[in-house]
Every structure is written in structure tokens, then in C-alpha cells.
């Protein structure tokens, strides 16, 4: 009898120990999860508080963090300090470029030189960048692919999957290039090569912090790609399938971080708003993205950027409103993570006025802020792109030139915001303050 009582007491003690351990683990998990940006009831939460933000595109951050070709850690630290000082804490960054070097319209140096063959200096650069961002309580949106030629992306994976040499827009023009890229949606071998890359990147551990990427709160979101597109209406079903497979894979590899698509909105879905709703409603996609490019989308002309500004504003509002309606339906936050406007008179020099851009930025910020203050689903925006302290040397980027917000296929200075753009920075700072006040409500 006594033996049975002792055994029962031991079992009860063991049960209590298990319960305490489980509670401690649960509390630890809760504390860790507080460090990550999350979505709750259709809104971002960071450090236990609502998170509304003004960010920028800093695609070349990992290259600057490198100690190899293109690396400049002194400039990187200077740029991060300056952005943080004016309230920019959200940076959208390219993980790495793909394929051969020496292509004048492609980001160089590349990270993935061939499938599974990586340039370790860029990996070190990404590690260093995330370490420095973590020190400053900044967060990164890291995109893993690109439908466009300037970082390899679709074309690289198609070539490696045996689809032959892919055309480049500077040789054949964009219509022919886009027609060729429509193959990607249905090329399963290309997808598998990309999935191998995703597994490698998300499975890494930062050499400087010792943190596994999946455990690093300096990462806000893994993003499938930069402006992924089907490139034809016929390819939309396969395109949607690929996005769903990719988001499911990322979720399996990393349950801690948000997942986003990187979509332009309906413009990136061949004009199909229903397609955009379906891809954003996916259970593994945490928030929605849109982009806005009045010049690229022929809403304004190079010789009348200021005169065409009212039309750009009207089209912008209509585009945003339609996507916000969908976000209200699927109850997910919306981020306009790319928008830009050329310098006045379509000039690229640093001292060129930015009256048209300033007017467009001010209008976009007003739409974001108004909706956010009313409790809507507009959570933030990342303007394109950060030029900071760069001093462009050539209109066409060349190896050895400073990196700007404009990738190699675009005129250097066209859409970049530099540290000397005082009027634009004043408008950005005003919006930062407005969004920060929403956080406190």
C-alpha cells in the first residue's frame, strides 16, 4: 500500500515538473515571438505595438555588406545610421543576383553563379547587413527571385533548366523578353532549382551573430520575388500554383517570419484583380503588396512630368482603392512597397529639381496615412529607392561605380532619393512622424 502511495506521489511530481517545463517553454516561445513582426487582425504588430511604417528599397544592401567586389561596409553603416536617424526602419533588399557576370544590365557581383554554387562574399555581406540592421532595430524584407533581367531570376532558372539561352530586353525589347519569360510558370525543373536555392538561404546561420536565419528578428518577411508575373493570361493557373508551392515551402522551413509575394498588384497579374485576390488570400501569405510606376505604366510622359501629375494621382487613387477593397475582404494588411517618379525634365544629375516627384510622394503618403488613421488595411510603404550618399559616375552603371537606388538597367539617378534631396526627404520625414503617431494611438 505504502509503495503504491509513493509511486502515485512520484507520478504526480513528474506531472508537475512536465507542466512547469511546458509553461516555461510556452512563455519562452511567446517572448521570442514578440521580437518578430506579426500580423494580428489584419494589422502589423512589432514589439507588442501596432506597426505602421515608411521604408525604402535598398536592394544592394547585401553587396555593400560584402568585403569582396562592390563591398563598402563603411558606406553601409553610414547609410543605415542616416536612414535610422530620419525614421526609416524597414528595408526591402535583394538576397542576391543570379548567373554570369559582365552583363551591363545586370546587378554585379552575382551571388548564385550556377545552381548550388554561391559567392560567399555576398553571403557574408547579407550576414553583416542583418547584424547591423538588428543592432539598429531595423527590419528587412528579403526577396528571393526576380521576374526581370536585372538580377537574373526567371531567365537564369530557365537557362539552367535546359530551356536555352534566354533573350535580354536590351537585345530584343521588353515584349519579346516578357513572352519568353512566360515559360517560367510551367517549367517544373526551373521551379525545383529555385526551391533548392530557397532551402539553402532560409536554412543558413548568420556567421556574425550565430543566429539561424529563421530565428532572426531582423528579418520581417521572406518575399517570393520582385514583381513575379505570369507574363501571359494562359500561364496564370500555373503561376498561381507556383506561388502557392513556394509559400508553403517557406512556411515549412521557417514558421517564425512573415511571407509576402512581392506583387505589383493586378498590373502584375495581367490586369486580373481576381488573380491578385487569390494569390494574396493564400493561407501562407501574410500580407499583400502593390507597386506603382506612373512613368513605366505610361500615365506620365518624360516631357510633361509635372503637367501629367494630376492624371498620375487620379490613376494612383483608383488603383490603390481597388486593392484596398480586396484587402478588406481577405483581412490582410497592404504595403505599397515600390513607387517612384522621375526627376524633373527626366534628368538624372544629383542637382536636378524634384518638384514632380515631391508632389507624387506627398499624394501617395496622404493616401497611406489617411487610410491607416481610419483603421484601414494600409500599413506602410517603401519608396524606390535609396541612393543615399552615392555619387553616380555614369548614366549607365559600370563596375566600380557607386550603387544607387536604380539598378544597372536604368539611368543612374532616375528614381533614386539621395541624401542631398532635401525637399523629398522633408516630405518623407513628415510622413514618418505621421505614421509613428498612429502607432501610439
Amino acid at each position: 500500500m505504502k509503495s503504491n502511495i509513493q509511486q502515485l506521489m512520484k507520478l504526480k511530481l513528474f506531472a508537475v515538473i512536465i507542466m512547469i517545463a511546458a509553461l516555461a517553454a510556452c512563455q519562452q516561445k511567446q517572448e521570442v515571438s514578440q521580437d518578430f513582426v506579426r500580423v494580428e487582425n489584419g494589422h502589423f504588430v512589432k514589439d507588442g505595438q501596432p506597426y505602421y511604417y515608411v521604408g525604402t528599397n535598398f536592394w544592394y544592401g547585401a553587396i555593400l555588406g560584402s568585403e569582396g567586389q562592390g563591398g563598402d561596409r563603411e558606406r553601409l553603416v553610414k547609410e543605415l545610421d542616416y536612414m535610422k536617424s530620419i525614421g526609416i526602419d524597414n528595408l526591402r533588399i535583394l538576397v542576391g543576383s543570379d548567373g554570369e557576370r559582365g552583363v551591363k544590365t545586370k546587378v554585379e557581383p552575382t551571388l548564385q553563379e550556377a545552381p548550388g554554387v554561391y559567392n560567399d562574399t555576398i553571403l557574408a555581406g547579407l550576414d553583416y547587413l542583418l547584424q547591423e540592421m538588428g543592432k539598429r532595430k531595423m527590419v528587412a524584407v528579403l526577396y528571393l527571385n526576380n521576374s526581370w533581367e536585372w538580377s537574373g531570376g526567371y531567365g537564369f532558372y530557365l537557362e539552367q533548366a535546359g530551356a536555352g539561352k534566354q533573350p535580354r530586353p536590351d537585345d530584343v525589347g521588353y515584349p519579346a523578353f516578357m513572352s519568353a519569360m512566360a515559360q517560367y510558370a510551367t517549367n517544373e525543373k526551373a521551379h525545383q532549382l529555385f526551391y533548392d536555392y530557397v532551402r539553402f538561404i532560409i536554412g543558413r546561420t548568420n556567421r556574425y551573430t550565430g543566429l539561424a536565419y529563421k530565428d532572426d528578428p531582423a528579418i520581417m518577411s521572406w518575399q517570393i520575388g520582385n514583381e513575379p508575373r505570369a507574363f501571359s493570361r494562359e500561364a496564370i493557373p500555373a503561376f498561381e500554383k507556383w506561388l502557392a508551392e513556394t509559400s508553403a515551402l517557406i512556411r515549412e522551413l521557417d514558421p517564425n517570419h512573415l511571407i509576402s509575394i512581392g506583387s505589383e498588384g493586378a498590373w502584375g497579374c495581367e490586369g486580373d484583380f481576381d488573380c491578385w485576390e487569390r494569390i494574396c488570400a493564400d493561407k501562407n501569405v501574410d500580407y499583400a503588396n502593390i507597386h506603382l510606376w506612373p512613368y513605366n505604366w505610361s500615365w506620365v510622359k518624360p516631357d510633361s512630368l509635372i503637367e501629367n501629375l494630376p492624371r498620375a494621382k487620379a490613376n494612383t487613387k483608383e488603383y490603390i482603392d481597388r486593392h484596398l477593397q480586396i484587402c478588406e475582404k481577405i483581412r490582410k494588411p497592404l504595403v505599397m512597397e515600390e513607387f517612384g517618379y522621375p526627376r524633373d525634365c527626366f534628368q538624372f544629375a544629383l542637382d536636378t529639381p524634384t518638384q514632380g516627384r515631391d508632389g507624387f510622394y506627398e499624394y501617395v503618403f496622404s493616401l497611406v496615412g489617411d487610410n491607416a488613421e481610419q483603421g484601414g488595411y494600409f500599413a506602410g510603404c517603401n519608396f524606390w529607392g535609396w541612393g543615399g550618399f552615392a555619387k553616380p559616375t555614369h548614366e549607365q552603371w559600370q563596375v566600380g561605380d557607386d550603387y544607387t537606388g536604380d539598378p544597372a538597367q536604368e539611368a543612374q539617378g532616375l528614381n533614386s532619393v539621395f541624401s542631398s534631396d532635401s525637399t523629398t526627404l522633408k516630405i518623407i520625414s513628415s510622413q514618418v512622424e505621421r505614421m509613428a503617431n498612429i502607432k501610439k494611438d
Side-chain angles (χ1 to χ4, degrees), residues 192-207:
Q192 291 305 319
L193 292 173
F194 172 59
Y195 298 155
D196 289 343
Y197 173 72
V198 170
R199 292 185 184 96
F200 173 77
I201 294 296
I202 296 179
R204 294 189 67 253
T205 295
N206 189 309
R207 71 192 68 193

Side-chain angles (χ1 to χ4, degrees), residues 33-47:
S33 69
Q34 287 288 327
D35 293 334
F36 295 94
V37 180
R38 307 186 313 281
V39 172
E40 293 182 0
N41 299 317
H43 300 279
F44 290 130
V45 175
K46 182 184 179 190
D47 298 326

Side-chain angles (χ1 to χ4, degrees), residues 40-337:
E40 293 182 0
N41 299 317
H43 300 279
F44 290 130
V45 175
K46 182 184 179 190
D47 298 326
Q49 299 295 321
Y51 180 48
Y52 298 92
Y53 65 87
V54 178
T56 190
N57 283 267
F58 191 52
W59 61 263
Y60 53 94
I63 300 176
L64 281 191
S66 164
E67 291 183 299
Q69 178 190 335
D72 188 342
R73 291 184 172 180
E74 183 179 349
R75 180 186 166 197
L76 173 63
V77 168
K78 186 178 180 181
E79 299 287 9
L80 293 178
D81 283 343
Y82 185 78
M83 284 188 273
K84 182 66 176 180
S85 74
I86 62 174
I88 294 173
D89 68 351
N90 189 296
L91 308 181
R92 184 168 175 261
I93 296 159
L94 170 70
V95 171
S97 183
D98 308 301
E100 63 182 309
R101 300 187 186 186
V103 179
K104 71 176 184 177
T105 55
K106 189 199 292 184
V107 169
E108 188 173 324
T110 54
L111 164 60
Q112 188 178 197
E113 300 171 1
V117 179
Y118 299 104
N119 177 353
D120 190 63
T121 64
I122 302 300
L123 294 174
L126 183 59
D127 289 347
Y128 186 80
L129 169 66
L130 290 173
Q131 173 190 248
E132 294 302 309
M133 289 182 68
K135 289 178 183 177
R136 294 163 177 78
K137 299 294 183 183
M138 303 171 86
V139 292
V141 174
L142 298 176
Y143 55 96
L144 295 154
N145 204 333
N146 197 348
S147 67
W148 303 108
E149 80 286 4
W150 60 267
S151 73
Y154 277 19
F156 167 78
Y157 288 109
L158 284 169
E159 288 184 5
Q160 298 301 322
K165 188 73 173 175
Q166 297 301 301
R168 297 192 178 101
D170 51 318
D171 293 328
V172 301
Y174 273 103
F177 168 79
M178 292 188 288
S179 177
M181 292 305 103
Q183 305 171 73
Y184 181 81
T186 55
N187 193 310
E188 295 291 339
K189 187 173 181 180
H191 299 172
Q192 291 305 319
L193 292 173
F194 172 59
Y195 298 155
D196 289 343
Y197 173 72
V198 170
R199 292 185 184 96
F200 173 77
I201 294 296
I202 296 179
R204 294 189 67 253
T205 295
N206 189 309
R207 71 192 68 193
Y208 301 113
T209 65
L211 275 175
Y213 272 28
K214 67 182 179 63
D215 296 326
D216 191 348
I219 299 171
M220 169 175 158
S221 172
W222 292 110
Q223 193 162 92
I224 294 173
N226 177 61
E227 302 188 339
R229 288 190 181 188
F231 284 121
S232 78
R233 283 190 167 270
E234 293 73 22
I236 283 178
F239 170 68
E240 293 182 11
K241 176 176 177 287
W242 169 64
L243 291 176
E245 286 179 356
T246 306
S247 60
L249 173 62
I250 296 172
R251 181 67 73 212
E252 177 187 341
L253 296 169
D254 180 355
N256 294 325
H257 290 106
L258 302 179
I259 298 172
S260 50
I261 294 171
S263 173
E264 300 151 276
W267 194 274
C269 292
E270 312 309 314
D272 188 338
F273 282 87
D274 291 336
C275 168
W276 188 79
E277 179 179 334
R278 287 191 297 270
I279 63 177
C280 294
D282 185 283
K283 65 180 181 180
N284 292 312
V285 173
D286 295 292
Y287 65 99
N289 322 111
I290 58 171
H291 297 181
L292 258 166
W293 289 102
Y295 167 68
N296 297 23
W297 297 356
S298 301
W299 295 353
V300 298
K301 297 179 180 178
D303 62 354
S304 50
L305 292 168
I306 296 173
E307 294 83 352
N308 291 156
L309 190 55
R311 179 171 64 183
K313 290 179 178 179
N315 289 349
T316 292
K317 187 174 189 315
E318 180 184 358
Y319 193 71
I320 287 173
D321 285 348
R322 289 196 66 178
H323 289 87
L324 276 171
Q325 288 170 6
I326 293 172
C327 287
E328 290 170 7
K329 180 179 177 182
I330 64 176
R331 295 182 57 80
K332 293 185 180 182
L334 178 67
V335 175
M336 189 160 78
E337 60 179 16

